[in-house]
Amino acid sequence: MSRAAGKASYDAIIAGAGIVGAACADEFSRRGMKVAVLDREIVGSGATAAGMGHIVVMDDSEAQFALTRYSQQLWQALKPELPDDVEYEQCGTVWVAADEEEMAEVGRKREYYAERRVPTEVLDAKSLKQLEPNLRDGMAGGLLVPEDAVLYPPCAARFLIERAQKRGAELRPGASVVQIGQGRVGLSDGSEIAAEIIVNATGTWAPELTPRIEIRKRKGHLLITDRYPGFLRHQLVELGYLKSAHSVGSDSVAFNVQPRRTGQILIGSSRQYGAEHKDVDHIMLERMLRRAVEYMPGLRPMSAVRAWTGFRAATPDKLPLIGPWPGDKSVYLAAGHEGLGITTSLGTARILADQITGSKTEIPIEPYLPSRTVKERVHA
Ligand SMILES: Cc1cc2nc3c(=O)[nH]c(=O)nc-3n(C[C@H](O)[C@H](O)[C@H](O)COP(=O)(O)OP(=O)(O)OC[C@H]3O[C@@H](n4cnc5c(N)ncnc54)[C@H](O)[C@@H]3O)c2cc1C
């Protein structure tokens, strides 16, 4: 590649080969675009390597529901093509209600999903115990969402990139982008590459390349156990999770456990703003595990294999930024997916490709447009 960029070498350059950049590469190449994907590390090495891999429909807002449901269905459709190491399992989610107040939330959630044709099943205390015998006694019940799934995110990202490569996409690991705009991508070695479209898919790092966007790091801890086949059958999440996941003020933990195909149990999760260090915070980890043991006492004697942290890319309105950046017509954003980027990667790629190619989108795109965050400043 020459140091000075001339005519556009690619239809699109994607900065970031996490699951979002990988999904974009896959979708763009499927539509015949000539694509390059640049990552300063390797495929799936950012939040994608740290994430839990729960493919989940959420109902915090209509926009969140639309993107998660659309994406969950895209994952379902992709299932026959996913290689074994992606470990896609449609195990379903059980939202666990600890008391009658949370059972009322089960009813509300069921109704919301029923109105939008998402299958669910309300579980009373007895049927919950039958489905998940290792939950502690005395739970009020729960809501089973059988179309939710789990997968192993780094392998999913790798699969999407490799599929794009088979269609001619170019992957450049170790390529650190320092600047984007006006159809140019500047690299740390001083070279430049030209492209008509540049996608900023660098997750929590996105503001380094597009300085006016507001993305904060939200730290999370996870721990994986040794193998205990059969102990857990569904992804279990406490209904109180909604309170903690969506509170923006304080540090929080919630019971959130996932069965892995290996028989291991992935235990989450915590949320912290203002904690920028990658180290495991033992106080936070202990709080998280105490919560898990409160719900499943049988977890206490299990051996842990590893604990780690990762950072979610959080936007102020809890929705991702997907679409053209109003400050530069060559730049598009695909970032800010907070705790749902594994789920929503496929939907993100579809609606971004639709916008770029002028195609009709299957869900309304307005809630995700980056212009919503910068109107005043850009047009001032
Ligand atoms: C603890 C935890 C649990 C989670 N659980 C779930 C879950 O169960 N389900 C779910 O759907 N989501 C979950 N998430 C969220 C999910 O992991 C993220 O939303 C998703 O991985 C974001 O993907 P991404 O591609 O946007 O970013 P990343 O995976 O962070 O990728 C960004 C990439 O950009 C590269 N990059 C950065 N700057 C540059 C640069 N200047 N030049 C070149 N390359 C650059 C990085 O190296 C990186 O590879 C979880 C996240 C955490 C932290």
Side-chain angles (χ1 to χ4, degrees):
M1 187 64 53
S2 65
R3 291 185 87 73
K7 216 165 122 281
S9 315
Y10 299 95
D11 297 320
I13 292 179
I14 299 163
I19 192 113
V20 172
C24 290
D26 179 48
E27 185 60 25
F28 292 5
S29 64
R30 190 175 73 87
R31 297 187 192 206
M33 293 167 73
K34 190 175 174 211
V35 179
V37 192
L38 315 183
D39 198 292
R40 65 181 167 203
E41 308 252 340
I42 56 166
V43 174
S45 55
T48 299
M52 217 176 184
H54 186 200
I55 305 300
V56 57
V57 174
M58 296 285 284
D59 59 350
D60 197 30
S61 63
E62 281 300 332
Q64 188 192 59
F65 172 81
L67 189 59
T68 53
R69 177 62 168 159
Y70 179 43
S71 299
Q72 181 216 46
Q73 290 179 318
L74 291 172
W75 280 113
Q76 243 177 8
L78 194 56
K79 185 186 169 188
E81 291 171 59
L82 293 173
D84 211 41
D85 64 3
V86 174
E87 295 182 13
Y88 180 95
E89 301 278 353
Q90 198 180 306
C91 60
T93 304
V94 175
W95 293 93
V96 180
D99 52 31
E100 287 312 315
E101 191 190 338
E102 289 181 2
M103 259 331 257
E105 174 60 13
V106 163
R108 188 208 59 78
K109 216 171 164 58
R110 190 208 69 82
E111 216 166 287
Y112 183 93
Y113 284 171
E115 279 165 10
R116 289 157 186 80
R117 295 196 296 277
V118 179
T120 61
E121 189 186 328
V122 174
L123 308 169
D124 61 13
K126 195 171 152 216
S127 42
L128 176 66
K129 193 76 185 169
Q130 273 165 359
L131 279 190
E132 290 292 347
N134 289 306
L135 276 167
R136 77 163 155 75
D137 291 335
M139 293 293 173
L143 186 73
L144 171 65
V145 185
E147 292 188 6
D148 284 351
V150 302
L151 55 71
Y152 185 52
C155 289
R158 209 203 49 222
F159 161 74
L160 292 167
I161 286 278
E162 284 176 359
R163 214 160 64 143
Q165 284 177 294
K166 282 181 197 144
R167 301 188 195 106
E170 199 181 307
L171 171 68
R172 294 226 221 153
S176 183
V177 177
V178 290
Q179 209 177 5
I180 56 172
Q182 314 215 326
R184 299 275 186 281
V185 173
L187 301 183
S188 59
D189 65 2
S191 62
E192 271 194 354
I193 318 173
E196 277 174 36
I197 306 284
I198 301 158
V199 178
N200 182 353
T202 57
T204 53
W205 297 278
E208 291 174 13
L209 299 179
T210 311
R212 281 177 297 161
I213 55 176
E214 224 184 307
I215 287 182
R216 289 171 75 196
K217 289 184 175 177
R218 205 172 188 192
K219 187 171 180 175
H221 287 74
L222 293 174
L223 177 142
I224 194 154
T225 69
D226 208 339
R227 295 168 187 235
Y228 299 93
F231 182 85
L232 179 67
R233 300 163 190 172
H234 306 80
Q235 176 109 14
L236 302 183
V237 192
E238 66 166 287
L239 268 164
Y241 173 87
L242 300 172
K243 295 172 212 151
S244 64
H246 306 307
S247 76
V248 283
S250 53
D251 296 353
S252 61
V253 296
F255 170 67
N256 184 353
V257 291
Q258 177 178 105
R260 302 298 321 165
R261 188 183 284 176
T262 52
Q264 292 173 285
I265 296 157
L266 184 51
I267 305 177
S269 58
S270 69
R271 287 181 137 83
Q272 283 173 285
Y273 282 117
E276 305 250 323
H277 207 287
K278 264 184 139 173
D279 291 352
V280 169
D281 170 344
H282 288 279
I283 296 175
M284 217 49 208
L285 185 65
E286 202 188 308
R287 266 182 71 187
M288 185 182 94
L289 294 177
R290 218 180 303 128
R291 190 73 180 160
V293 169
E294 271 173 37
Y295 276 76
M296 291 196 115
L299 290 171
R300 186 188 293 281
M302 290 185 177
S303 307
V305 172
R306 194 165 77 85
W308 67 92
T309 67
F311 294 93
R312 306 171 181 93
T315 60
D317 64 4
K318 297 179 239 151
L319 290 172
L321 301 162
I322 308 167
W325 171 242
D328 184 318
K329 69 177 174 28
S330 63
V331 174
Y332 285 71
L333 302 183
H337 293 76
E338 222 264 353
L340 289 169
I342 308 299
T343 304
T344 55
S345 54
L346 297 187
T348 295
R350 284 281 177 108
I351 61 177
L352 190 62
D354 287 337
Q355 290 179 65
I356 289 169
T357 59
S359 313
K360 192 174 174 314
T361 56
E362 285 183 44
I363 59 171
I365 54 167
E366 288 70 24
Y368 324 109
L369 291 178
S371 55
R372 76 187 187 275
T373 65
V374 290
K375 254 180 203 130
E376 305 80 27
R377 277 171 287 167
V378 168
H379 300 298

